[in-house]
Every structure is written in structure tokens, then in C-alpha cells.
Amino acid sequence: GRTLPRVLFVGVSSPGRTFHFQDTCSQSRATRIWASCVPPPLVVRRAPRQQDSGLAAHLPLPPPPRSLQDQRTTPRSTMAAEAPASTPADGAAAELCDVGLYGLAIMGQNFALNMAEHGFSVAVSNRSGPKVDATVERAKAEGDLPLQGFKDPASFIGALKKPRRVMLLVMAGKPVDDTIALLSEHMEEGDLIIDGGNEWYPNSQRRATELEAKKIMFMGMGVSGGEEGARNGPSLMPGGPKAAYDLMEPILQKCAAQVSDGACTTYCGPIGAGNYVKMVHNGIEYGDMQLIAETYDILKTAGGGTNQELPAIFSDCNRTPL
């Protein structure tokens, strides 16, 4: 028939400490997972969004929650802060910025514009200058958003209000270590670095320990939602010192996806917790995608469904929890 199976995903458990994770975001399935990890509690909200890739990207989806729909249809010019975007000549900033973002690939560029659109003045920088120029031009084109571009680390860090908040969106692994070394040289006690990449949580724990010598705080934060989520509202999973989270909370609460019971973000726990939650989140997501692909294959090869008939079945499925 056309009734699809329901699946409970359970994480791998091993001897030692365990934690309880529950997906709490509105309109999503209740999923409980037990796995060996850092200390509890760990809670995260999943942002409503389109699937990132694969077959699911071509399937019909239900409309987003009203708050996100409003955000996407409201003209950006009416949402933007009044401060103009500018590109200082790598000297002093026109005015000090609220937050910095280093790494201007798809995720970084879009999250920088997200923060600027919510009224935070943003300094951006990147290893290659053309991406800085492109981000500044987008900020101008999307409503004169309050964003400034910098092409050298000293000017970038010098453009930020103290205590400085610097978010990294670069490739996981050695590029993160290299970027931390590059920027921390110009930072000081009480400043904060946030890594928003898909990082293995022990690496975040190691980096936090290394930065303690300079008394610089460090957070690892999962970011989910792809390009669209980064621009219009992702799910954010921060883990690190509570004092570090408190510095970022106003930005995270405004820039995360918004649903009926609040922003799709919360404090996940100590350093590494946010990365661990994102890892579990990805496991659930990829499990869902595998389930969708295998269901399609069964319906086509065993059920005899055609490529023209099967989308209607999946469209029906999208009206209820998976």
C-alpha cells in the first residue's frame, strides 16, 4: 500500500556515562537517543528547512512556519538597520562593529548578512580579498546592511567592540587551527572565538584548552540549515563556557530560525556539547535521507511505481510527521 514505515533512530550506546537527547522543535518528530557523550543535559531545536541534498531536495515540502514565511517575504529594505555598508581601506573602522565573521564561503557570507539584517553591525574578513568585496557588495544590494569588510587580520580584529566576538566559518580541521592562530595574535583577555563548522568535538575541547593560556574564550557551535538557513534563520547549537554563551545569546536568539515556541537555539552545555549535538543531528538527518531513498527504491522496483506517480506519494507524506 501507500503507508510508509515509521522509524525510531537510537544512537549507539557504550559503557560509561549516557545522556538523553530529545528533539524539541515544533512540528518535528519526537526522537529520543541515548549515547555516550559529554555531561547532560543536551537539548537542541531543529530548524524547519529544505533537505540539503539528494533525492529529498526534489520532493515537495510543506510551507514553512508563519514566522519564517514572513521573514522571507518581508522586503529586506524594511528589515535592515540604517547604518551603511562600507569597506575601510584596512585602516581604522568607520565605527566599531558588534561582531566579526571570518570565512566568507556560502555559509559565512549568508550568516554575516543574516546578523547584519537583524541590526547587528558586522565586520567580515576572509583569506582571499575578492570574497570580502563580494560580501560588502551583497550587503549594499540587500538594503545597505551595516557590514564592513577588512582584508588583513589586525584591521579586522581592531574593528570590533570589546570584548570581541569573532565567529569562524571555515573548513573543519587544520584550517580552523590556522585561523585561530592568525586571529588570536591580535586578540586579548576576555575576547571570544566561536567555531561554527562541523567539527569533531574533541578538537573543540583541545582548542578551548589551548586558548585558556591567552584567557580567550572558545565555543564550538553547530549550524544547520544550509545556505537558506544561514541567510534566513538556521538551527544553532552552541557549546562552551556559560559566560561565552551569554556574550553571544542576543545575536543567536535573533538570528536563529523562529518557530511557535521560540528560537531554534539554546545553550547545549560545556565545550564540545554543541558539536556533539550537531553530530547526532546529522546522523538523524542522514538516516532520514537514507530512509527516503530506500522507500523510493522499494516503491519503484517492488511496487511498480513510476517516476511520475511517486512524487504524489511523497507529497502526501510531507503533510504529516515522517
Side-chain angles (χ1 to χ4, degrees):
R2 295 192 172 186
T3 301
L4 298 183
R6 296 185 180 274
V7 174
L8 174 68
F9 291 93
V10 180
V12 177
S13 180
S14 62
R17 291 179 299 184
T18 61
F19 83 98
H20 170 258
F21 171 88
Q22 182 175 3
D23 182 344
T24 61
C25 191
S26 298
Q27 299 181 346
S28 64
R29 75 194 65 76
T31 305
R32 301 175 187 272
I33 300 158
W34 289 265
S36 172
C37 83
V38 294
L42 298 176
V43 181
V44 67
R45 302 173 188 270
R46 289 187 69 190
R49 61 183 178 84
Q50 294 183 347
Q51 295 287 355
D52 292 326
S53 61
L55 170 66
H58 304 288
L59 301 178
L61 291 172
R66 182 63 186 168
S67 57
L68 276 182
Q69 185 69 43
D70 290 344
Q71 192 178 61
R72 291 171 187 166
T73 56
T74 302
R76 286 190 172 127
S77 60
T78 66
M79 300 171 65
E82 294 299 322
S86 60
T87 308
D90 285 322
E95 59 181 63
L96 294 181
C97 296
D98 297 318
V99 63
L101 192 144
Y102 190 97
L104 298 174
I106 289 175
M107 292 294 290
Q109 188 173 125
N110 280 285
F111 194 69
L113 294 168
N114 180 346
M115 292 189 290
E117 189 168 71
H118 283 89
F120 299 101
S121 54
V122 182
V124 298
S125 188
N126 191 72
R127 185 179 60 175
S128 58
K131 288 188 177 180
V132 176
D133 296 334
T135 305
V136 171
E137 288 304 311
R138 274 194 67 186
K140 290 178 180 178
E142 295 182 19
D144 257 355
L145 303 180
L147 184 146
Q148 301 180 47
F150 299 87
K151 297 179 182 178
D152 78 86
S155 298
F156 171 60
I157 298 300
L160 302 174
K161 298 174 183 176
K162 299 180 181 180
R164 303 175 180 97
R165 298 173 285 191
V166 180
M167 185 168 174
L168 313 181
L169 277 167
V170 300
M171 186 181 299
K174 189 175 182 297
V176 177
D177 291 312
D178 292 344
T179 303
I180 290 173
L182 180 71
L183 300 180
S184 63
E185 179 182 347
H186 308 285
M187 300 175 74
E188 57 191 50
E189 179 178 347
D191 290 347
L192 168 63
I193 296 175
I194 309 102
D195 175 24
N198 275 334
E199 188 56 87
W200 177 230
Y201 71 93
N203 286 340
S204 290
Q205 294 170 330
R206 169 181 58 81
R207 289 166 184 144
T209 300
E210 292 169 352
L211 286 167
E212 281 178 2
K214 296 183 177 182
K215 297 185 178 180
I216 296 173
M217 294 185 288
F218 183 76
M219 288 175 56
M221 181 171 72
V223 180
S224 180
E227 177 180 359
E228 180 184 350
R231 183 65 183 86
N232 297 308
S235 174
L236 300 171
M237 296 153 256
K242 186 59 165 62
Y245 173 76
D246 291 341
L247 276 179
M248 282 297 292
E249 182 180 19
I251 295 175
L252 303 183
Q253 288 289 331
K254 282 192 175 183
C255 296
Q258 306 294 317
V259 291
S260 59
D261 58 349
C264 288
T265 186
T266 191
Y267 177 58
C268 292
I271 188 66
N275 300 121
Y276 199 99
V277 171
K278 181 58 161 59
M279 178 177 66
V280 175
H281 165 106
N282 284 348
I284 296 170
E285 178 179 16
Y286 300 153
D288 283 351
M289 293 169 69
Q290 181 73 16
L291 172 64
I292 291 167
E294 291 185 9
T295 301
Y296 192 98
D297 183 57
I298 291 170
L299 291 174
K300 184 174 183 180
T301 59
T306 67
N307 290 338
Q308 290 70 40
E309 294 170 337
L310 295 181
I313 298 175
F314 283 90
S315 181
D316 288 342
C317 293
N318 276 331
R319 297 191 179 97
T320 63
L322 183 63

